[in-house]
Amino acid sequence: MNNIAKTNGLETCFSCNGQFPPASSEIHKYMHSSPGCWAAYGEILAREYQDPGLFQACHRLSVDAYALQHPGDPADARANQSVWIHFASLFLIFERGRPHVEATTLLKTLAGRSFEPPGLPAHPFAITVQDVLHCTLANHSERVAEWARASYEPWSHLAPQVIKMIDKG
């Protein structure tokens, strides 16, 4: 497991670099994060589950953004698959202008495939779970969209292969 750096009483997530209060919660099985980051993500999901309109507007983006910022161990096939399919979901939304429901369908279609390790993101993430957690309910959807874009762009080297996957079906 990765060491978690502490600054001003906060722990820095070794995957996304967001800073969170220390937590002792469980973390995801293959999307590696600090316990505080995983707990913060749970708070974001709870906010979305409590509001059907918010859920519909941005839940797909929240799940994809978190997965891309927490890629896990490249030796784990589930972690590799996660990066590829969540990138493909955001590609469909951002580059092809498709609705979230189509992106979810694509995820299900691609979930049965095997994927090579995706490499590393090209640059650090400008917006993390931390930024979404601290936004107001009124600007949650807008902030999640920014977070999703900030999660997507560093993985843009995957786009040519994702285009082939999507266009082949």
Side-chain angles (χ1 to χ4, degrees), residues 125-138:
F125 303 108
I127 299 171
T128 70
V129 169
Q130 166 190 351
D131 301 299
V132 178
L133 182 65
H134 297 299
C135 75
T136 66
L137 190 58

Side-chain angles (χ1 to χ4, degrees), residues 69 94 123-128 145-154:
Q69 288 192 358
F94 292 147
H123 52 80
F125 303 108
I127 299 171
T128 70
E146 294 167 350
W147 176 37
R149 182 65 75 174
S151 303
Y152 171 80
E153 289 172 352

Side-chain angles (χ1 to χ4, degrees), residues 80-88 115-116 118 158 161-162 165:
N80 295 330
Q81 178 192 62
S82 179
V83 169
W84 282 100
I85 68 176
H86 290 287
F87 179 84
F115 296 90
E116 294 295 319
L158 303 179
Q161 291 163 295
V162 165
M165 280 190 282

Side-chain angles (χ1 to χ4, degrees), residues 24-61:
S24 59
S25 63
E26 295 288 323
I27 60 171
H28 193 274
K29 291 178 181 174
Y30 56 85
M31 289 190 288
H32 295 169
S33 69
S34 68
C37 184
W38 181 247
Y41 177 58
E43 290 181 45
I44 290 168
L45 295 183
R47 184 187 298 172
E48 292 173 2
Y49 283 123
Q50 291 171 3
D51 182 330
L54 198 60
F55 182 89
Q56 185 175 6
C58 61
H59 184 69
R60 170 79 274 137
L61 299 176

